[in-house]
Amino acid sequence: MTEVNTTLSIAVASGKGGVGKTNLALNLCFALHDLGNSLILLDADLGLANLDVLLGLSPEKNLQDLLGEAAAENVVIPLAGDGLVLLPSASGVAELVEMDEDVQSLLLDKLDALFRRYNFLILDLGAGISPTVLSFAAMPQERIVVITPEPTSLTDSYALIKVLFTQHQIKNFQVIVNMAESHKEAKNAFERLAQACGHFLNLPISLLGVVHRDPMVTESVRHQVPLLKFAPGCQAAQDIREIAKKIMDRRTRLKDLISRSPILKPLI
């Protein structure tokens, strides 16, 4: 009898770098963990992996070791007991960056049993629309696209959504507006992106939440401590916790769909 899946997989992506995607993915994991969930955070930025840097860690093993004899359990790093773990990646390793279908299949087979132990699998993707980024963005059940109000972020995010929609038939996109000066600015930015997706792609997208610009974010990065631990009462931390509640509610609502879906869908 096939085991029923209860793990919700979410890719956190962005059209361009510098929008705070990795920091947001990390802190969403801590917020979800604080709400009683178990999570595995996968650093899927195979070109410029840096979650370990944000945390001040020096992993002995990483995703590349899974292509050899290493067991998945021996590669993960506990961040908050067994309930929140990091699966680190390696920077600039061609074998991972140019991952073909056979390598993807090998990795997924090794990781599936590990992923099933957790309520959430969060993938922090690289920025842009490289083939590897698109592959990882298409595999999970859900996608979060992180944008800022900058015009370049909006145009690059539209390009990411367009390629995933037209080439991989992906239709479900949740958007977080990061580094917003105000809720009005964030709403305007989202509406511009939503109008473009609606007009040119006939594709509705959803606003998951807004994270306001906050000087504590930069300070937490400098100290290599997650924002929710460094300044839990700051505005950005409060915003992230609100988004985490929505993600948790979404997992509950999608329970039946999750049970019928693979954690990561192999690309054919």
Side-chain angles (χ1 to χ4, degrees), residues 18-20 147-150 177-181 185 211-214:
V19 300
I147 69 172
T148 68
E150 296 177 4
V177 184
N178 197 24
M179 303 183 193
E181 297 291 349
E185 182 187 55
V211 180
H212 292 81
R213 186 179 293 279
D214 192 319

Side-chain angles (χ1 to χ4, degrees), residues 21-22 42-51 63 89-92 96-97 123-127 132-133 136:
K21 168 188 53 62
T22 295
L42 169 58
D43 193 339
D45 187 347
L46 304 185
L48 298 166
N50 56 10
L51 269 166
L63 200 61
S89 187
S91 294
L96 290 179
V97 176
L123 294 86
D124 176 40
L125 273 53
T132 303
V133 168
F136 272 114

Side-chain angles (χ1 to χ4, degrees), residues 4 29 62 64 95 108 163 172 174 212 216 218-219 266 268:
V4 175
C29 285
N62 58 53
Q64 187 184 20
E95 190 174 17
L108 293 182
V163 173
N172 56 327
Q174 306 282 315
H212 292 81
M216 286 296 103
T218 304
E219 287 300 306
I268 298 172

Side-chain angles (χ1 to χ4, degrees), residues 151-172:
T152 51
S153 173
L154 299 180
T155 54
D156 291 352
S157 296
Y158 171 76
L160 172 65
I161 292 170
K162 177 183 177 181
V163 173
L164 284 169
F165 176 62
T166 56
Q167 294 186 11
H168 296 279
Q169 292 73 55
I170 302 296
K171 296 179 181 178
N172 56 327

